[in-house]
């Protein structure tokens, strides 16, 4: 990077401050801002400041596409971070690929995608669905009731979970989808069906505001999480804090990161984050991916000496970082991230007690080549332990 060029380096940020997924995307945006402040406080990119272009994508796929087009067409930047719902990532994918832009995507998703223009830093199905299926079938039983929001991630995540359940002698009792803006009575109707079906566990792929309705309707019906918990890949500390930890206590989430992860990096980052944003803020798996991907991006910019998306897309694969969850690595072949699967059960303080942890990081298998629930098969045999 030439020292004569002192202009800030612009990075586009596509998260929603309004609409159904505003709470979790606001958490991702806070992480992005926080990491950027850290990068700039440490001298930026060889003296150049990182400057975020912030906007409100309103939880609407069309709005993500419009704003990405504006950023690219207005020559503001072709380096973009963001998106939560897979419908929003799918909406920007053709634009990214047409303009050879770069998206860092910090959200768990359904897999079955591998764009050259995307770096995926959230969990792929083998890093969250497989460990969750293994745990739930072993500890809770084989009769599963599925409820999800009506869009691509829940359909696909349920397809993977259904295969895992059938291959392991389980039974799917129901698979119900509700609109993203479904109201509380709609969830009460679903819970009536759950009560009648008597499953061993509920697999929820509900996202956004509907999560609170589901957990509230469940609690109101007097169901017991010890007997029939809601198991999910998507409900985090952020949503449980908003709805009240009493509604979530005893329920289960599979993710590579919880605020309660006990690593030195995580303890330090939480201390700094709370100092900056206040004691009441929480972190979550989407926050963590949004946080560490900014630091990876900054490291890649320093290495390439510029912010050209093509150069960054060649540099990011193979890079590693000590993230709050432990060491992570971007895979050279599939652009997904080696992550460390964990399963947590929410406690009364709104934090997860970690009840299962993979012994090492796991390479992402976005097309789910292996459906083995045996952890020894899914854990990458790396000599290097995921660092604490
Ligand atoms: C999601 O839609 N990837 C949560």
């Amino acid at each position: 990077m030439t020292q004569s060029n002192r202009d800030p380096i612009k990075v586009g940020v596509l998260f929603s401050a309004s609409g159904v997924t505003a709470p979790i995307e606001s958490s991702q945006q806070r992480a992005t801002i926080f990491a950027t402040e850290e990068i700039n406080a440490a001298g930026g990119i060889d003296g150049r400041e990182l400057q975020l272009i912030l906007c409100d994508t309103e939880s609407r796929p069309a709005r993500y596409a419009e704003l990405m087009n504006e950023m690219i067409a207005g020559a503001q930047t072709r380096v973009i971070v963001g998106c939560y719902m897979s419908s929003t990532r799918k909406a920007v994918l053709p634009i990214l690929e047409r303009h050879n832009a770069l998206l860092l995507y910090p959200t768990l998703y359904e897999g079955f995608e591998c764009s050259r223009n995307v770096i995926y830093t959230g969990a792929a199905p083998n890093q969250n669905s497989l460990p969750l299926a293994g745990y739930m079938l072993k500890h809770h039983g084989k009769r599963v009731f599925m409820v999800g929001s009506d869009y691509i991630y829940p359909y696909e995540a349920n397809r993977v979970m259904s295969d895992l359940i059938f291959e392991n002698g389980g039974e799917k009792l129901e698979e119900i989808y509700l609109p993203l803006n479904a109201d509380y009575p709609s969830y009460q109707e679903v819970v009536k069906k759950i009560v009648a079906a008597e499953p061993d566990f509920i697999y929820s792929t509900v996202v956004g505001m509907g999560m609170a309705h589901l957990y509230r309707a469940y609690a109101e019906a007097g169901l017991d999480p010890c007997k029939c918990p809601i198991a999910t890949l998507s409900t985090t500390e952020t949503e449980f804090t908003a709805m009240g930890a009493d509604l979530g206590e005893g329920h289960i989430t599979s993710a590579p990161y919880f605020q309660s992860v006990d690593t030195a990096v995580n303890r330090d980052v939480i201390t700094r984050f709370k100092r900056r944003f206040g004691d009441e803020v929480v972190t979550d798996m989407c926050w963590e991916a949004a946080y560490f991907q900014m630091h990876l991006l900054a490291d890649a910019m320093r290495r390439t000496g510029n912010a050209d998306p093509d150069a960054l897309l060649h540099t990011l694969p193979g890079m590693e970082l000590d993230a709050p969850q432990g060491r992570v690595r971007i895979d050279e072949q599939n652009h997904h991230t080696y992550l460390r699967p964990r399963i947590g059960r929410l406690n009364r303080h709104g934090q997860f007690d970690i009840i299962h942890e993979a012994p090492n990081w796991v390479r992402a298998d976005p097309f789910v080549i292996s459906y083995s629930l045996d952890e020894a098969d899914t854990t990458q045999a790396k000599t290097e332990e995921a660092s604490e």
Side-chain angles (χ1 to χ4, degrees), residues 84-86 89 105 107-110 151 153 207:
Y84 175 81
M85 280 190 285
S86 291
R89 189 191 66 260
Y105 176 57
T107 308
L108 71 126
Y109 88 111
E110 64 282 356
Y151 76 103
Y153 155 69
V207 305

Side-chain angles (χ1 to χ4, degrees), residues 110-112 124-127 130 159-160 163-164 167 334 363-373 377-378:
E110 64 282 356
F112 297 90
N126 70 307
Q127 296 166 317
L130 264 68
R159 185 172 65 77
V160 170
D163 286 348
L164 292 168
E167 285 195 11
N334 63 34
R363 182 181 185 232
D365 173 15
F367 293 92
V368 202
I369 307 296
S370 167
Y371 272 72
S372 170
L373 298 185
D377 294 343
T378 56

Side-chain angles (χ1 to χ4, degrees), residues 5 37 128 133 171 183 186 257 260 315 331 339 383-384:
N5 187 352
E37 288 176 356
N128 55 8
E171 187 186 350
D183 58 8
S186 309
Y257 172 85
S260 53
T315 304
D331 187 72
L339 301 170
T383 46
E384 221 180 317

Side-chain angles (χ1 to χ4, degrees), residues 8 79 118 123 271 299 304 313 323 341 358:
V79 179
V118 181
T271 304
D299 286 350
T304 56
L313 279 162

Side-chain angles (χ1 to χ4, degrees), residues 123-358:
N126 70 307
Q127 296 166 317
N128 55 8
S129 301
L130 264 68
L132 184 64
Y135 183 89
M136 297 310 293
L137 292 170
K138 182 166 172 203
H139 295 278
H140 287 277
K142 298 199 164 182
R143 302 176 72 250
V144 187
F145 191 109
M146 295 182 175
V147 54
S149 300
D150 192 6
Y151 76 103
I152 181 170
Y153 155 69
Y155 309 152
E156 290 292 304
N158 277 337
R159 185 172 65 77
V160 170
M161 186 57 85
S162 299
D163 286 348
L164 292 168
I165 286 161
F166 295 146
E167 285 195 11
N168 289 280
E171 187 186 350
K172 179 163 69 177
L173 305 178
E174 274 272 14
E175 184 174 335
I176 295 179
Y177 295 96
L178 287 93
L180 281 160
N181 62 356
D183 58 8
Y184 184 58
S186 309
Y187 281 92
Q188 287 177 304
E189 287 306 310
V190 171
V191 169
K192 273 189 204 156
K193 290 185 181 157
I194 292 172
V195 170
E198 296 185 0
D200 293 324
F201 70 96
I202 299 152
Y203 179 53
S204 166
T205 47
V206 173
V207 305
M209 307 293 193
M211 288 176 183
H213 292 330
L214 174 65
Y215 288 86
R216 184 173 301 283
Y218 174 106
E220 196 182 69
L223 290 168
D224 179 358
C226 294
K227 294 195 183 123
C228 173
I230 300 173
T232 172
L233 314 175
S234 50
T235 316
T236 73
E237 292 86 340
T238 292
E239 290 91 357
F240 281 127
T241 299
M243 75 177 84
D246 52 325
L247 292 183
E249 188 179 352
H251 293 296
I252 290 172
T253 297
S254 175
Y257 172 85
F258 297 108
Q259 182 171 324
S260 53
V261 164
D262 191 22
T263 64
V265 173
N266 193 39
R267 285 192 295 275
D268 287 353
V269 78
I270 288 172
T271 304
R272 294 196 305 277
F273 184 60
K274 285 183 179 286
R275 203 179 296 137
R276 167 68 178 84
F277 286 94
D279 261 349
E280 66 292 345
V281 289
V282 292
T283 64
D284 60 70
M285 63 172 114
C286 299
W287 176 96
E288 194 237 7
Y291 173 77
F292 77 67
Q293 70 174 22
M294 280 311 289
H295 280 287
L296 276 169
L297 178 63
D299 286 350
M301 285 177 174
R302 289 185 197 107
R303 275 195 205 184
T304 56
N306 64 52
D308 173 58
D310 210 41
L312 293 170
L313 279 162
H314 279 99
T315 304
L316 279 159
M319 285 184 63
E320 298 188 10
L321 183 102
D322 283 321
Q325 68 175 271
R327 197 153 183 85
V328 297
R329 170 192 175 85
I330 310 291
D331 187 72
E332 285 91 337
Q333 268 88 48
N334 63 34
H335 281 198
H336 289 62
T337 308
Y338 285 67
L339 301 170
R340 188 162 185 185
R342 295 177 166 98
I343 296 175
R345 184 186 287 120
L346 199 80
N347 63 34
R348 71 186 53 187
H349 309 295
Q351 291 295 321
F352 285 93
D353 296 326
I354 297 173
I355 53 178
H356 178 80
E357 190 169 59

